[in-house]
Amino acid sequence: MMLQVNDAVVRYGAITALHGITFEINQGEIVTLLGANGAGKSTTLRMLSGLHAPATGKIIFEGQDITNTKAHQFVALGIAHVPEGRRIFPQMTVEENLEMGAFTRSGSFSDDMDRMYETFPILKERRKQLGGNLSGGEQQMLAIGRALMGSPRLLLLDEPSMGLAPMIVETIFRIIGEIRDSGTTVLVVEQNAAQALRLADRGYVMENGRIVFSDKASNLLHDERVRAVYLGESVEGT
Amino acid sequence: MGAFGHYLSAHFATLRLEFWGLLVGGLANGFIYAMVAIGYTLVYGVLRLINFAHSEIFMSGGFASYFVMKAIIGTSVPSGLASVGLVILGILVGGTASAGMALLLERVAYRPLRKRHAPKLAYLISAIGASYFLFNLAGKEFGRYNLSIPSPYINHTVFTIFGANVQMYYIVILIAGVIMFVTLDRIVAKTKLGRSIRAVAQDAETASLMGVNIDRTIALTFIIGGIFGGAGGFLFGLGSGVVYTMGFTPALKAFTAAVLGGIGNLRGAVIGGLILGVAESFSIAFVQAAFIDVVAFAILLLILLFRPTGILGERLGRSA
């Protein structure tokens, strides 16, 4: 088991955002978190990159207790986070944004840079442009490329398809599949539940800060509860 | 031509006669304002707050370099290579003392507030409190009168430009300023350290996801601002002496310079400092020297009214 979260509680002041969630991720999987807005999906990712330490509970990554590890130490551990809304550094060039992804690495990372430009040819073209001047899709690719520059073993993706045209969403999801195939484990939070479930191995469904059920992605795709609520399809007979 | 036109033409004649002298003096003052303005703009860039205790950071460098220069130079008159070495030493001592003071202020006056997510007003009160404490402490310890820094060089006229005498003091300021600003510009644009500052300025949370230690980066901006402020304190002290209240006016002017150039913008701080220094200097042709502070603060009011983002705009994040 690569990552294990045990009964984690996260509070924002007086508000409890996560009421003790337990789940795990295995090496080489794509796991997706589904749920309505405010269910606690983003909070879960933020907890897994140190932006919000759990009040109680435990997080174990590759056998190491990382419950109280600080945000800036996560990249070095092998966990990279592509935040919601992409959060590109707007006044840095594409190249500088990629370099920021490799901030904690010492030595040369030009091979990885070349690999990013191979995976995302558009980023190579826009190398010297400011991140803030890219389109939404280009920014998403840059955000993913930036995270990969830290050579993570676990990649956290928060709403990678948000606000993007369907064709770009296809590309992003294809790339997420390729990332997994190249050996990086992926945890993805996605509004686009159907697409996420087609790509993922397993899924967890969250409601009001709790995980309410989980299953193989292929089963969830055909689960009535999921279809009704998250895939926007009416269940037969209702 | 009316009386007012006559007044103007007479004063423009003065300006034309004194132009080069006023320009050189104005640029020298401007470089000192710019050095102090760097501290305001860096801290604003990463924390979005004005460090109103920066005046005392400036003063710390002035006093530290005073004591070291007094101990080494005493009543002797250094020249040649010794002068160069002493000027560099003065800058290093002033810079180090002020960097230490800046770091201390960050730890004591700001970080505890940051950890509690205090409102901006709390930072302002904390800064003013720290500032009063420090300059009164300096007054108590070092006396309440002006102390001259023994000169590390002979302040003769090095050359004459269009009839204006350019003294050694101005040359020292110009050379030190150019070297320091170019170095800082390169560091911020090209090094990992500079990139971490820009990343935190643009988006602190995302910077931390990249592995940037935010607390350390913030401390670093206080240190760099302190080094520049302390160098400014030493260079200012060489011309005007050091006294416990020395920080007040230059720091307010440096703040004006930072706002004029675009607070949060490093090149803006330099441009703002130079423009302010020269504008003040030229105004001497029109009003009595005693009124030049009025000119500086009139400029501050005008920018805040008509272009609050300054000449270059707020953008520490940018490399250029």
Side-chain angles (χ1 to χ4, degrees):
Chain A
M1 202 178 302
M2 181 180 227
L3 179 88
Q4 192 179 355
V5 176
N6 244 322
D7 200 20
V9 173
V10 169
R11 297 199 178 94
Y12 293 97
I15 299 158
T16 303
L18 296 179
H19 300 266
I21 61 166
T22 297
F23 68 98
E24 77 252 346
I25 298 172
N26 298 309
Q27 170 78 43
E29 281 188 310
I30 296 181
V31 174
T32 182
L33 296 179
L34 303 177
N37 277 337
K41 303 174 313 258
S42 284
T43 303
T44 304
L45 289 201
R46 291 171 67 81
M47 177 184 79
L48 292 178
S49 54
L51 294 174
H52 278 290
T56 61
K58 232 185 178 63
I59 309 169
I60 311 284
F61 179 67
E62 295 179 338
Q64 192 184 348
D65 185 341
I66 60 163
T67 313
N68 293 309
T69 303
K70 295 203 163 62
H72 67 263
Q73 295 164 330
F74 272 75
V75 196
L77 284 175
I79 301 180
H81 184 159
V82 180
E84 186 176 358
R86 333 191 212 292
R87 304 283 281 271
I88 293 305
F89 296 109
Q91 306 284 359
M92 287 191 192
T93 63
V94 167
E95 193 161 75
E96 286 178 317
N97 266 286
L98 289 173
E99 284 168 5
M100 279 310 299
F103 188 80
T104 56
R105 294 173 61 182
S106 47
S108 166
F109 43 79
S110 56
D111 286 0
D112 285 303
M113 202 80 133
D114 293 341
R115 217 146 41 79
M116 287 315 136
Y117 287 144
E118 229 169 86
T119 314
F120 306 104
I122 188 74
L123 295 184
K124 185 170 192 172
E125 265 174 56
R126 304 228 186 281
R127 221 163 86 237
K128 297 290 174 196
Q129 288 187 24
L130 293 182
N133 296 345
L134 302 185
S135 72
E138 291 162 353
Q139 285 193 350
Q140 189 61 59
M141 292 180 202
L142 179 55
I144 294 173
R146 183 177 66 178
L148 292 176
M149 286 299 291
S151 326
R153 293 186 295 287
L154 174 61
L155 183 67
L156 313 175
L157 291 160
D158 200 345
E159 305 277 8
S161 77
M162 192 167 64
L164 301 182
M167 229 176 72
I168 310 215
V169 174
E170 290 290 335
T171 311
I172 299 278
F173 273 84
R174 177 177 54 75
I175 288 165
I176 296 171
E178 287 172 15
I179 290 168
R180 188 264 311 271
D181 296 342
S182 71
T184 304
T185 308
V186 176
L187 174 60
V188 56
V189 162
E190 190 45 71
Q191 281 177 332
N192 193 336
Q195 202 135 14
L197 285 172
R198 274 194 290 274
L199 179 75
D201 299 296
R202 292 189 303 120
Y204 289 88
V205 178
M206 296 186 76
E207 249 169 51
N208 300 319
R210 293 185 174 82
I211 289 176
V212 285
F213 56 95
S214 68
D215 207 334
K216 282 163 72 176
S218 50
N219 292 345
L220 288 175
L221 202 52
H222 299 105
D223 188 295
E224 281 189 5
R225 291 164 297 183
V226 174
R227 292 178 76 87
V229 181
Y230 304 111
L231 303 181
E233 294 170 19
S234 61
V235 177
E236 231 173 301
T238 55
Chain B
M1 192 185 284
F4 184 66
H6 187 72
Y7 165 89
L8 273 186
S9 73
H11 287 282
F12 271 110
T14 316
L15 178 61
R16 209 172 58 233
L17 271 176
E18 304 286 333
F19 181 84
W20 291 98
L22 292 173
L23 181 67
V24 172
L27 284 175
N29 275 339
F31 268 99
I32 292 176
Y33 296 153
M35 285 180 190
V36 183
I38 294 283
Y40 284 111
T41 234
L42 269 175
V43 169
Y44 181 85
V46 297
L47 286 182
R48 298 289 182 275
L49 76 93
I50 306 295
N51 176 13
F52 276 111
H54 195 52
S55 43
E56 273 46 70
I57 291 170
F58 170 81
M59 175 196 69
S60 312
F63 271 106
S65 57
Y66 162 77
F67 287 117
V68 169
M69 288 296 118
K70 198 179 141 207
I72 296 177
I73 300 172
T75 54
S76 66
V77 183
S79 63
L81 219 55
S83 293
V84 177
L86 284 166
V87 168
I88 293 172
L89 181 70
I91 289 173
L92 290 178
V93 167
T96 308
S98 292
M101 181 57 75
L103 201 56
L104 185 71
L105 278 168
E106 197 271 320
R107 281 290 159 84
V108 175
Y110 293 131
R111 191 174 295 191
L113 295 176
R114 202 146 50 77
K115 295 295 170 201
R116 287 174 180 76
H117 305 286
K120 296 270 152 151
L121 186 62
Y123 290 87
L124 185 65
I125 295 167
S126 183
I128 292 173
S131 175
Y132 267 71
F133 171 77
L134 287 172
F135 80 71
N136 280 302
L137 184 69
K140 177 175 171 292
E141 294 299 321
F142 308 138
R144 295 175 194 271
Y145 39 84
N146 200 306
L147 304 160
S148 309
I149 299 182
S151 183
Y153 46 79
I154 304 159
N155 195 23
H156 61 276
T157 297
V158 180
F159 61 86
T160 305
I161 176 167
F162 299 106
N165 295 333
V166 179
Q167 279 139 356
M168 186 58 105
Y169 178 51
Y170 295 143
I171 308 236
V172 166
I173 292 173
L174 296 182
I175 292 175
V178 168
I179 292 174
M180 288 178 72
F181 294 136
V182 170
T183 309
L184 180 65
D185 197 75
R186 293 298 86 196
I187 286 174
V188 171
K190 296 286 175 206
T191 67
K192 198 166 166 173
L193 190 146
R195 258 208 307 280
S196 69
I197 293 176
R198 284 157 55 211
V200 173
Q202 288 176 34
D203 185 341
E205 188 176 275
T206 304
S208 77
L209 290 178
M210 305 292 118
V212 177
N213 183 338
I214 297 180
D215 281 340
R216 224 176 56 194
T217 307
I218 289 171
L220 199 74
T221 62
F222 274 86
I223 288 174
I224 297 175
I227 291 172
F228 277 77
F234 167 63
L235 294 170
F236 177 85
L238 281 178
S240 310
V242 296
V243 61
Y244 73 113
T245 51
M246 68 183 276
F248 189 75
T249 307
L252 261 180
K253 289 190 183 165
F255 171 64
T256 304
V259 174
L260 175 60
I263 186 124
N265 183 311
L266 287 173
R267 287 184 183 176
V270 177
I271 291 171
L274 294 179
I275 292 178
L276 184 67
V278 171
E280 269 188 359
S281 190
F282 283 165
S283 69
I284 291 173
F286 296 90
V287 295
Q288 285 175 301
F291 282 105
I292 61 173
D293 292 353
V294 176
V295 173
F297 300 126
I299 290 176
L300 178 60
L301 286 179
L302 290 175
I303 321 157
L304 291 177
L305 278 174
F306 295 111
R307 192 172 162 83
T309 56
I311 296 169
L312 297 188
E314 303 175 14
R315 46 163 203 188
L316 176 59
R318 284 198 71 157
S319 60

